[in-house]
């Protein structure tokens, strides 16, 4: 299954970006190499930040990303006040608030911000009213990736061909896949609808300044997955090869242009 094990963000200032996430989410630095920093989001997901030019070179793209990158990262917490506290912290550290924290139209409580590196985050609590005290350091129940796509049904077919199992299917509105305990949830939404949901406008581009990484047990599985990508309608942008550190990896884009890395070792 192509469940993302790590989210890598390209940033113009690769030193300031990790500091932002450490301050806002209380993320912990757990590794990295050269200018790449890897962060742990309370054991729920992993986030990495690297120079935008480095990520663009991996994708064989120009290191220029649109203001809105076409994806939204979701951060789900327990209490409405935790949504407020994280959004306030993000604003204090230089983020732009796209949607103030408030009760959602149908259920729950949410707000959205754009980080200084350009990534858009949606903060959500399923509870519209507090049922207990907010944690001083909110821990997410789930971290997810929402991709703004041209057609949800076509995008679903692509990911299903790579082994993803559909969890919720609302047709053209929203589709997501079953997550694993060690991976993020992946969801698909119409691009214009997703942009409107977080208070911005759709802005399509070839390079989105993000890569979603899937780690597999062996180089043979890297090769097998990349072959399946081509057959399903994706495009391999960097064939699998071994790096100087011994990591075997390749890059591909899905039919909507979102960048993935498949790695082993």
């Amino acid at each position: 299954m192509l469940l993302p094990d790590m989210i890598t963000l390209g940033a113009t200032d690769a030193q300031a970006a990790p500091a932002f996430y450490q301050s806002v989410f209380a993320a912990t630095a757990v590794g990295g190499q050269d200018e790449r920093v890897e962060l742990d989001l309370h054991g729920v997901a992993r986030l990495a930040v690297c120079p935008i030019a480095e990520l663009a070179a991996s994708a064989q793209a120009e290191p220029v990303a649109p203001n809105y990158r076409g994806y939204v990262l979701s951060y789900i917490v327990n209490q409405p006040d935790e949504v407020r506290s994280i959004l306030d912290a993000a604003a204090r550290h230089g983020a732009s608030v796209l949607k103030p924290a408030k009760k959602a139209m149908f259920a729950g409580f949410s707000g959205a911000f754009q980080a200084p590196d350009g990534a858009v985050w949606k903060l959500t609590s399923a509870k519209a009213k507090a049922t207990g005290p907010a944690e001083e350091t909110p821990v997410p129940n789930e971290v997810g990736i929402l991709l703004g796509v041209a057609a949800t049904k076509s995008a679903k077919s692509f990911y299903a061909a790579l082994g993803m199992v559909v969890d919720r299917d609302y047709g053209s509105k929203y589709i997501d896949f079953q997550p694993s305990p060690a991976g993020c949830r992946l969801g698909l939404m119409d691009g214009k609808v997703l942009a409107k949901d977080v208070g911005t406008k759709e802005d399509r581009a070839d390079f989105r300044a993000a890569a979603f990484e899937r780690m597999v047990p062996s180089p043979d599985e890297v090769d097998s997955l990349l072959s399946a990508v081509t057959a399903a309608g994706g495009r391999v942008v960097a064939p699998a090869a071994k790096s100087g550190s011994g990591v075997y990896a390749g890059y591909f884009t899905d039919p909507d242009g979102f960048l993935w890395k498949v790695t082993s070792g």
Side-chain angles (χ1 to χ4, degrees):
M1 294 175 65
L2 192 67
L3 287 167
D5 296 303
M6 185 175 298
I7 303 163
T8 299
L9 305 177
T12 303
D13 189 336
Q15 291 184 333
F20 172 84
Y21 291 114
Q22 287 174 301
S23 298
V24 173
F25 293 133
T28 305
V30 291
Q33 188 175 11
D34 299 326
E35 294 184 84
R36 176 186 171 95
V37 177
E38 295 181 4
L39 303 168
D40 175 63
L41 296 175
H42 304 280
V44 178
R46 286 210 167 190
L47 183 70
V49 180
C50 70
I52 194 169
E54 178 183 314
L55 194 58
S58 300
Q60 298 185 5
E62 292 296 322
V64 179
N67 179 53
Y68 166 61
R69 281 85 191 276
Y71 64 88
V72 172
L73 304 177
S74 65
Y75 201 86
I76 301 172
V77 292
N78 283 317
Q79 300 290 341
D81 285 346
E82 293 173 349
V83 172
R84 287 193 184 94
S85 67
I86 296 173
L87 193 61
D88 289 346
R92 288 197 305 272
H93 289 88
S96 300
V97 175
L98 301 178
K99 275 200 168 180
K102 62 180 181 179
K103 185 178 179 180
M105 183 177 295
F106 297 106
F109 194 87
S110 66
F113 69 84
Q114 185 167 32
D117 61 75
V120 171
W121 292 79
K122 182 177 181 180
L123 310 170
T124 303
S125 166
K127 301 166 185 173
K129 293 183 179 181
T131 57
E135 295 292 336
E136 185 175 347
T137 302
V139 174
N141 299 319
E142 183 177 281
V143 175
I145 303 165
L146 292 171
L147 304 181
V149 300
T152 55
K153 291 183 179 181
S154 296
K156 179 185 76 171
S157 297
F158 172 78
Y159 285 103
L162 301 181
M164 298 291 283
V165 178
V166 173
D167 189 8
R168 295 170 290 192
D169 187 342
Y170 300 108
S172 61
K173 294 181 179 180
Y174 177 81
I175 296 168
D176 67 15
F177 302 94
Q178 293 179 3
S180 73
C184 299
R185 183 182 290 273
L186 179 68
L188 310 170
M189 190 179 290
D190 175 85
K192 291 181 179 178
V193 174
L194 179 60
K196 184 178 180 181
D197 182 60
V198 293
T200 189
K201 293 183 179 180
E202 188 177 34
D203 192 358
R204 290 190 173 274
D206 293 332
F207 179 57
R208 312 299 183 87
F212 310 118
E213 185 170 343
R214 175 61 177 167
M215 301 171 194
V216 298
S218 69
D220 285 345
E221 290 190 52
V222 173
D223 293 336
S224 177
L225 185 50
L226 291 178
S227 295
V229 162
T230 302
R235 184 170 70 93
V236 175
V237 295
K242 184 175 286 190
S243 69
S245 59
V247 174
Y248 188 73
Y251 288 84
F252 73 88
T253 54
D254 74 1
D256 288 278
F258 291 102
L259 181 67
W260 286 79
K261 179 182 181 181
V262 187
T263 181
S264 174

